[in-house]
Amino acid sequence: MSTRPQPRPGVMQIDAYVPGKSKAAGVAKVHKLSSNETPLGPSPKAMEAFRSFDHLELYPDGAATKLREAIGARYGLDPSRIICGAGSDELLALITHAYVGPGDEGIFTEHGFLVYRIAIMAAGGTPVVAPEKDLRTDVDAILSRVTEKTKIVFLANPNNPTGTYIPFDEVKRLHAGLPSHVVLVLDAAYAEYVRRNDYESGLELVATSENVVMTRTFSKIYGLANLRLGWMVAPAHIADAVNRIRGPFNVSGPAMAAGIAAIQDEAHLAKAIEHNERWLAWLTREIEALGLKVTPSVGNFLLVHFPKEAGRTAQDADAFLSGRGLILRRIDAYGLPDALRLTVGDEEANSLVVAALRDFLGGHHA
Ligand SMILES: Cc1ncc(COP(=O)(O)O)c(C=O)c1O
């Protein structure tokens, strides 16, 4: 018998999530392009709602009633099917804890968002990885890994860190191929950024099936990452299960107030979409013109691939860019050691990144 408390089996096998760096030593101005945050910041109306929030001594509304109503009104959803959380991360964990236990399996894709693996292992389940094709979800690879032990399948669409997506037809094919006891989680954290006619976040599938859940976040395009606010919509029976294990006051009042204002500020949203559309295309074009491979992205970030040649690797580029205060994301933990993930920044940051990459490839010193 051990003399001190031991975590449940599997817990110590989890690699904790490592967030994107936010500092660079000895640099006057840092541009943090490592966490897919928006360069536009939150809606001024959301900031105002946050600042004017009073009565921090009172517990928040544990049912998040007004926020759920605002989300419901915005998307035409029944608020009773909506659950809010401290970021969508919390909701991903709660869904997993409600449906996965020891002996169960959860599937996600090869370069899928790391939180899925953590959530499955934390619940005592076994993570099962489905290979991707050209850094894109392969529906057949997921379906071929389903067993009677499978309880949950995660699909980030678009995916982080690859920035790729699958069309709604493919999502529907995935759903049609899953046994009805499997929960399909559609993680649509970047849905607002996608400008493709064949893309859908999945609301229709949630409304018309008994086993599909969609998660969304206020952290990305709404610029409220620090407040920790996300939501999910689910069939009534899944919402009921998740609500039973949810912390009673998991979302704070200031977060809810800011979220309501943010979701109603369509002009700010439009501005953010427009900014991203313009600069995502610009960055892709300019970086490709330097001779680097870029994975076509529909999110607010893109993958830049580097050669393996000494002096020109992703690691070398990361060090060079950091020296100029440009912080990108290393993604070795996602099985992509030869690429860096770049978040679309403001005009200044974007121009500096392209100039720095040009100098890096040209062999200039930082
Ligand atoms: C695909 C994906 N899902 C979910 C999240 C979680 O975001 P949050 O917990 O801030 O809502 C992120 C953030 O990086 C993400 O990239």
Side-chain angles (χ1 to χ4, degrees), residues 128-150:
V128 174
V129 179
E132 297 182 7
K133 248 193 207 145
D134 297 329
L135 300 178
R136 200 162 157 263
T137 293
D138 177 352
V139 165
D140 297 303
I142 295 177
L143 291 176
S144 72
R145 278 159 183 79
V146 173
T147 71
E148 71 275 19
K149 292 183 187 160
T150 308

mmCIF file of all heavy atoms in Angstrom, residues 128-150:
data_model
loop_
_atom_site.group_PDB
_atom_site.id
_atom_site.type_symbol
_atom_site.label_atom_id
_atom_site.label_comp_id
_atom_site.label_asym_id
_atom_site.label_seq_id
_atom_site.Cartn_x
_atom_site.Cartn_y
_atom_site.Cartn_z
ATOM 1 N N VAL A 128 -8.442 7.024 -28.858
ATOM 2 C CA VAL A 128 -8.210 6.319 -30.119
ATOM 3 C C VAL A 128 -8.029 7.380 -31.201
ATOM 4 O O VAL A 128 -8.871 8.258 -31.366
ATOM 5 C CB VAL A 128 -9.408 5.408 -30.460
ATOM 6 C CG1 VAL A 128 -9.244 4.776 -31.840
ATOM 7 C CG2 VAL A 128 -9.585 4.338 -29.383
ATOM 8 N N VAL A 129 -6.900 7.296 -31.906
ATOM 9 C CA VAL A 129 -6.559 8.331 -32.879
ATOM 10 C C VAL A 129 -6.858 7.863 -34.300
ATOM 11 O O VAL A 129 -6.421 6.789 -34.701
ATOM 12 C CB VAL A 129 -5.055 8.696 -32.769
ATOM 13 C CG1 VAL A 129 -4.676 9.747 -33.796
ATOM 14 C CG2 VAL A 129 -4.730 9.177 -31.359
ATOM 15 N N ALA A 130 -7.600 8.652 -35.047
ATOM 16 C CA ALA A 130 -7.878 8.340 -36.457
ATOM 17 C C ALA A 130 -6.935 9.164 -37.337
ATOM 18 O O ALA A 130 -6.903 10.389 -37.216
ATOM 19 C CB ALA A 130 -9.325 8.669 -36.799
ATOM 20 N N PRO A 131 -6.177 8.497 -38.221
ATOM 21 C CA PRO A 131 -5.260 9.247 -39.090
ATOM 22 C C PRO A 131 -6.006 10.255 -39.960
ATOM 23 O O PRO A 131 -7.181 10.060 -40.271
ATOM 24 C CB PRO A 131 -4.624 8.167 -39.968
ATOM 25 C CG PRO A 131 -5.084 6.866 -39.470
ATOM 26 C CD PRO A 131 -6.187 7.066 -38.495
ATOM 27 N N GLU A 132 -5.314 11.319 -40.315
ATOM 28 C CA GLU A 132 -5.880 12.306 -41.236
ATOM 29 C C GLU A 132 -5.283 12.091 -42.627
ATOM 30 O O GLU A 132 -4.291 11.386 -42.778
ATOM 31 C CB GLU A 132 -5.560 13.726 -40.734
ATOM 32 C CG GLU A 132 -6.200 14.033 -39.390
ATOM 33 C CD GLU A 132 -5.925 15.454 -38.888
ATOM 34 O OE1 GLU A 132 -5.342 16.262 -39.630
ATOM 35 O OE2 GLU A 132 -6.305 15.739 -37.737
ATOM 36 N N LYS A 133 -5.892 12.709 -43.626
ATOM 37 C CA LYS A 133 -5.366 12.670 -44.998
ATOM 38 C C LYS A 133 -5.015 14.085 -45.382
ATOM 39 O O LYS A 133 -5.896 14.946 -45.390
ATOM 40 C CB LYS A 133 -6.447 12.138 -45.944
ATOM 41 C CG LYS A 133 -6.119 10.791 -46.521
ATOM 42 C CD LYS A 133 -7.062 10.464 -47.674
ATOM 43 C CE LYS A 133 -7.182 8.948 -47.789
ATOM 44 N NZ LYS A 133 -8.508 8.527 -48.184
ATOM 45 N N ASP A 134 -3.753 14.339 -45.697
ATOM 46 C CA ASP A 134 -3.327 15.696 -46.055
ATOM 47 C C ASP A 134 -3.759 16.714 -45.015
ATOM 48 O O ASP A 134 -4.306 17.772 -45.357
ATOM 49 C CB ASP A 134 -3.897 16.120 -47.420
ATOM 50 C CG ASP A 134 -3.383 15.234 -48.530
ATOM 51 O OD1 ASP A 134 -2.239 14.743 -48.403
ATOM 52 O OD2 ASP A 134 -4.126 15.008 -49.501
ATOM 53 N N LEU A 135 -3.567 16.385 -43.739
ATOM 54 C CA LEU A 135 -3.893 17.281 -42.627
ATOM 55 C C LEU A 135 -5.383 17.615 -42.568
ATOM 56 O O LEU A 135 -5.788 18.672 -42.099
ATOM 57 C CB LEU A 135 -3.072 18.576 -42.707
ATOM 58 C CG LEU A 135 -1.549 18.405 -42.663
ATOM 59 C CD1 LEU A 135 -0.849 19.758 -42.802
ATOM 60 C CD2 LEU A 135 -1.110 17.732 -41.361
ATOM 61 N N ARG A 136 -6.199 16.689 -43.039
ATOM 62 C CA ARG A 136 -7.632 16.903 -43.059
ATOM 63 C C ARG A 136 -8.320 15.675 -42.478
ATOM 64 O O ARG A 136 -7.859 14.555 -42.676
ATOM 65 C CB ARG A 136 -8.045 17.117 -44.521
ATOM 66 C CG ARG A 136 -9.331 17.794 -44.722
ATOM 67 C CD ARG A 136 -9.369 18.317 -46.174
ATOM 68 N NE ARG A 136 -10.745 18.491 -46.571
ATOM 69 C CZ ARG A 136 -11.445 17.597 -47.265
ATOM 70 N NH1 ARG A 136 -10.889 16.491 -47.678
ATOM 71 N NH2 ARG A 136 -12.698 17.838 -47.551
ATOM 72 N N THR A 137 -9.429 15.894 -41.791
ATOM 73 C CA THR A 137 -10.186 14.779 -41.219
ATOM 74 C C THR A 137 -10.561 13.774 -42.299
ATOM 75 O O THR A 137 -11.042 14.146 -43.370
ATOM 76 C CB THR A 137 -11.474 15.312 -40.552
ATOM 77 O OG1 THR A 137 -11.095 16.087 -39.418
ATOM 78 C CG2 THR A 137 -12.381 14.173 -40.116
ATOM 79 N N ASP A 138 -10.356 12.493 -41.990
ATOM 80 C CA ASP A 138 -10.711 11.409 -42.899
ATOM 81 C C ASP A 138 -11.865 10.641 -42.239
ATOM 82 O O ASP A 138 -11.667 9.880 -41.297
ATOM 83 C CB ASP A 138 -9.475 10.512 -43.103
ATOM 84 C CG ASP A 138 -9.757 9.314 -43.986
ATOM 85 O OD1 ASP A 138 -10.937 9.077 -44.328
ATOM 86 O OD2 ASP A 138 -8.792 8.595 -44.319
ATOM 87 N N VAL A 139 -13.062 10.892 -42.738
ATOM 88 C CA VAL A 139 -14.268 10.312 -42.132
ATOM 89 C C VAL A 139 -14.187 8.783 -42.095
ATOM 90 O O VAL A 139 -14.537 8.142 -41.095
ATOM 91 C CB VAL A 139 -15.528 10.797 -42.898
ATOM 92 C CG1 VAL A 139 -16.748 9.951 -42.548
ATOM 93 C CG2 VAL A 139 -15.778 12.268 -42.605
ATOM 94 N N ASP A 140 -13.694 8.172 -43.163
ATOM 95 C CA ASP A 140 -13.613 6.702 -43.192
ATOM 96 C C ASP A 140 -12.652 6.167 -42.147
ATOM 97 O O ASP A 140 -12.893 5.112 -41.555
ATOM 98 C CB ASP A 140 -13.206 6.225 -44.594
ATOM 99 C CG ASP A 140 -14.254 6.600 -45.613
ATOM 100 O OD1 ASP A 140 -15.406 6.187 -45.422
ATOM 101 O OD2 ASP A 140 -13.924 7.350 -46.556
ATOM 102 N N ALA A 141 -11.556 6.921 -41.904
ATOM 103 C CA ALA A 141 -10.598 6.487 -40.881
ATOM 104 C C ALA A 141 -11.253 6.527 -39.498
ATOM 105 O O ALA A 141 -11.007 5.657 -38.658
ATOM 106 C CB ALA A 141 -9.356 7.375 -40.909
ATOM 107 N N ILE A 142 -12.085 7.507 -39.247
ATOM 108 C CA ILE A 142 -12.800 7.563 -37.961
ATOM 109 C C ILE A 142 -13.765 6.388 -37.871
ATOM 110 O O ILE A 142 -13.754 5.630 -36.894
ATOM 111 C CB ILE A 142 -13.591 8.891 -37.810
ATOM 112 C CG1 ILE A 142 -12.632 10.085 -37.757
ATOM 113 C CG2 ILE A 142 -14.465 8.848 -36.545
ATOM 114 C CD1 ILE A 142 -13.324 11.447 -37.682
ATOM 115 N N LEU A 143 -14.584 6.208 -38.924
ATOM 116 C CA LEU A 143 -15.612 5.162 -38.875
ATOM 117 C C LEU A 143 -14.995 3.776 -38.703
ATOM 118 O O LEU A 143 -15.555 2.918 -38.009
ATOM 119 C CB LEU A 143 -16.486 5.218 -40.138
ATOM 120 C CG LEU A 143 -17.391 6.461 -40.226
ATOM 121 C CD1 LEU A 143 -18.140 6.483 -41.559
ATOM 122 C CD2 LEU A 143 -18.380 6.503 -39.054
ATOM 123 N N SER A 144 -13.814 3.568 -39.310
ATOM 124 C CA SER A 144 -13.212 2.233 -39.218
ATOM 125 C C SER A 144 -12.648 1.964 -37.823
ATOM 126 O O SER A 144 -12.283 0.832 -37.513
ATOM 127 C CB SER A 144 -12.119 2.070 -40.279
ATOM 128 O OG SER A 144 -10.997 2.848 -39.921
ATOM 129 N N ARG A 145 -12.557 2.972 -36.978
ATOM 130 C CA ARG A 145 -12.053 2.774 -35.618
ATOM 131 C C ARG A 145 -13.141 2.669 -34.564
ATOM 132 O O ARG A 145 -12.878 2.544 -33.385
ATOM 133 C CB ARG A 145 -11.051 3.879 -35.260
ATOM 134 C CG ARG A 145 -9.689 3.529 -35.838
ATOM 135 C CD ARG A 145 -8.779 4.703 -36.008
ATOM 136 N NE ARG A 145 -7.540 4.240 -36.628
ATOM 137 C CZ ARG A 145 -7.400 3.985 -37.947
ATOM 138 N NH1 ARG A 145 -8.424 4.134 -38.762
ATOM 139 N NH2 ARG A 145 -6.250 3.558 -38.424
ATOM 140 N N VAL A 146 -14.378 2.713 -35.007
ATOM 141 C CA VAL A 146 -15.495 2.606 -34.064
ATOM 142 C C VAL A 146 -15.664 1.143 -33.630
ATOM 143 O O VAL A 146 -15.628 0.239 -34.457
ATOM 144 C CB VAL A 146 -16.813 3.118 -34.712
ATOM 145 C CG1 VAL A 146 -18.002 2.845 -33.801
ATOM 146 C CG2 VAL A 146 -16.703 4.607 -35.022
ATOM 147 N N THR A 147 -15.794 0.945 -32.325
ATOM 148 C CA THR A 147 -16.078 -0.394 -31.796
ATOM 149 C C THR A 147 -17.272 -0.275 -30.857
ATOM 150 O O THR A 147 -17.790 0.824 -30.656
ATOM 151 C CB THR A 147 -14.893 -0.946 -30.971
ATOM 152 O OG1 THR A 147 -14.812 -0.195 -29.738
ATOM 153 C CG2 THR A 147 -13.566 -0.831 -31.708
ATOM 154 N N GLU A 148 -17.668 -1.397 -30.245
ATOM 155 C CA GLU A 148 -18.799 -1.246 -29.309
ATOM 156 C C GLU A 148 -18.382 -0.506 -28.034
ATOM 157 O O GLU A 148 -19.217 -0.087 -27.246
ATOM 158 C CB GLU A 148 -19.513 -2.582 -29.031
ATOM 159 C CG GLU A 148 -18.790 -3.578 -28.207
ATOM 160 C CD GLU A 148 -17.843 -4.453 -29.038
ATOM 161 O OE1 GLU A 148 -17.467 -4.090 -30.183
ATOM 162 O OE2 GLU A 148 -17.461 -5.501 -28.521
ATOM 163 N N LYS A 149 -17.054 -0.325 -27.880
ATOM 164 C CA LYS A 149 -16.574 0.437 -26.715
ATOM 165 C C LYS A 149 -16.579 1.949 -26.965
ATOM 166 O O LYS A 149 -16.405 2.738 -26.053
ATOM 167 C CB LYS A 149 -15.151 0.016 -26.372
ATOM 168 C CG LYS A 149 -15.041 -1.393 -25.848
ATOM 169 C CD LYS A 149 -13.588 -1.636 -25.487
ATOM 170 C CE LYS A 149 -13.351 -3.068 -25.111
ATOM 171 N NZ LYS A 149 -11.925 -3.404 -25.217
ATOM 172 N N THR A 150 -16.710 2.347 -28.228
ATOM 173 C CA THR A 150 -16.667 3.782 -28.544
ATOM 174 C C THR A 150 -17.869 4.490 -27.935
ATOM 175 O O THR A 150 -19.012 4.084 -28.151
ATOM 176 C CB THR A 150 -16.679 3.995 -30.076
ATOM 177 O OG1 THR A 150 -15.650 3.211 -30.656
ATOM 178 C CG2 THR A 150 -16.462 5.468 -30.407
#
